[in-house]
Amino acid sequence: MTDFAARLLYASAWMLGRLPWPLLLRLGDALALWWRWREVREARVARVNLELAYPELAPAQRERLRRAILRTTARQALETARLWTRPHARNLDELLVERHGTELMDRAIAAGRGVIVAAPHHGNWELLNQWLAWRTPLAILYRPPESPVVEGFLTRVRAAAGDAERVTQVRAEGPAVRQLFKRLGDGGVIGILPDQQPKAGDGEFAPFFGVPALTMTLLGRLAARTGAAVLFAWCERLDESTRPRFALRIEQAPPGIADPDPKAAVAALNAEVERIARRDPAQYQWTYKRYTLRPPGSGEPNPYHNR
């Protein structure tokens, strides 16, 4: 039954992905309006996050930013259905119109010390995954979805696109993480989403937009112990009047990310993710509950409680 449901979900994404780009974008805008009208989870979470991260803005300014965030998020949700169900080489040819810093990736791979790609939730990270899989075999750390149907759907999407042989999915669990150390030790490439909230005990608190956020220490430990190069990468959204257009950007990570002091490492990590997110706040994933866990003893409540 799970496999059937995953196949049905894939068929729905396939049909949605065959719509013309202008229509798909308009549907995304309509979805964003519905989210705001119904005050769904995405709309509520974005409001809380903006209140925390941008207290200096007037309420009307935050509301304009929230509308832009929901519009971008909805468009991305629908465009990803098209990205997942069409040949990845075609996606890259049609949508990735600029490529910056690719020489950094080439040099890091050639050095043979391993490469850690830190990919914040900015722009379209699914298109980035497709470029990385095209450029090199890699292992990606991921948190399994709660639904087995969704996990089956994602497995089917990647297999159908030919990435199953190029991309190794590594669950964010203790035993599996050893695969990442081995991969880097062999000079391989791994990808990590650095702005996902880890489980309690698996991270350190550091400021993110001025608010303490529990942040993964794994990336810093991998860099410090293996000496691998750390690169930040994202696909930034450009003008999209008739179809989405993106610029691939790859940049060298600041050295503090490999600091042996985990508190210093996570502070450097959050500062870099924040710098990228501030390039265009509407492109960042503000619909994610980044601040759920609060520092021990702070007395701070979960800001999303009953929201």
Side-chain angles (χ1 to χ4, degrees):
M1 191 64 182
T2 297
D3 181 64
F4 174 77
R7 289 172 179 269
L8 187 61
L9 190 59
Y10 178 84
S12 301
W14 188 92
M15 289 187 289
L16 186 64
R18 292 313 180 270
L19 296 177
W21 275 122
L23 177 57
L24 206 59
L25 295 177
R26 287 198 293 271
L27 285 176
D29 295 345
L31 178 60
L33 287 172
W34 185 81
W35 283 351
R36 284 169 42 213
W37 176 58
R38 297 292 298 176
E39 273 295 297
V40 300
R41 175 191 177 281
E42 289 80 3
R44 297 194 306 272
V45 171
R47 174 180 285 113
V48 173
N49 282 334
L50 293 180
E51 289 172 353
L52 293 169
Y54 290 93
E56 73 279 7
L57 295 183
Q61 291 176 302
R62 282 199 299 269
E63 179 57 22
R64 284 195 295 272
L65 179 54
R66 186 177 77 117
R67 291 185 180 191
I69 289 166
L70 293 177
R71 180 173 181 263
T72 300
T73 302
R75 283 188 167 196
Q76 176 164 327
L78 298 187
E79 77 191 15
T80 297
R82 185 180 177 111
L83 293 177
W84 276 340
T85 57
R86 294 174 72 91
H88 292 185
R90 182 174 177 181
N91 293 335
L92 297 174
D93 286 342
E94 291 182 353
L95 305 182
L96 205 57
V97 298
E98 296 179 16
R99 306 185 186 200
H100 306 277
T102 56
E103 71 282 356
L104 295 175
M105 177 70 75
D106 294 340
R107 286 201 297 266
I109 292 174
R113 295 183 294 106
V115 184
I116 302 171
V117 179
H121 288 87
H122 185 79
N124 193 306
W125 48 93
E126 292 297 338
L127 187 62
L128 173 64
N129 286 343
Q130 293 181 9
W131 183 85
L132 289 171
W134 167 83
R135 174 61 186 84
T136 180
L138 76 158
I140 294 179
L141 183 71
Y142 81 107
R143 182 176 300 168
E146 295 181 2
S147 168
V149 172
V150 174
E151 184 161 20
F153 166 73
L154 293 176
T155 300
R156 182 174 180 80
V157 165
R158 291 169 182 131
D163 282 354
E165 297 179 358
R166 307 250 322 155
V167 179
T168 302
Q169 301 287 317
V170 179
R171 289 171 171 259
E173 300 169 350
V177 169
R178 287 194 289 270
Q179 296 180 41
L180 301 181
F181 280 99
K182 184 179 186 306
R183 190 94 175 199
L184 293 174
D186 293 339
V189 180
I190 68 171
I192 294 180
L193 299 168
D195 46 358
Q196 285 189 325
Q197 181 176 249
K199 296 179 181 178
D202 289 344
E204 294 281 353
F205 281 90
F208 184 60
F209 282 82
V211 182
L214 187 63
T215 306
M216 67 164 62
T217 55
L218 175 62
L219 193 152
R221 286 191 286 118
L222 287 168
R225 295 182 187 179
T226 66
V230 183
L231 303 174
F232 276 83
W234 67 97
C235 283
E236 192 167 72
R237 193 176 299 274
L238 303 174
D239 170 64
E240 52 182 10
S241 56
T242 58
R243 69 169 60 195
R245 297 166 66 249
F246 297 91
L248 169 69
R249 301 194 183 277
I250 301 174
E251 296 182 0
Q252 192 75 46
I257 283 179
D259 196 300
D261 179 356
K263 290 184 179 296
V266 296
L269 178 61
N270 276 0
E272 189 65 7
V273 174
E274 179 176 333
R275 183 189 68 81
I276 293 169
R278 285 188 182 276
R279 291 175 59 92
D280 183 353
Q283 295 197 39
Y284 189 67
Q285 192 190 31
W286 289 111
T287 56
Y288 175 66
K289 294 182 178 181
R290 184 68 176 87
Y291 303 108
T292 302
L293 299 175
R294 310 312 307 136
S298 68
E300 298 177 16
N302 177 351
Y304 310 103
H305 184 63
N306 292 331
R307 300 292 288 272

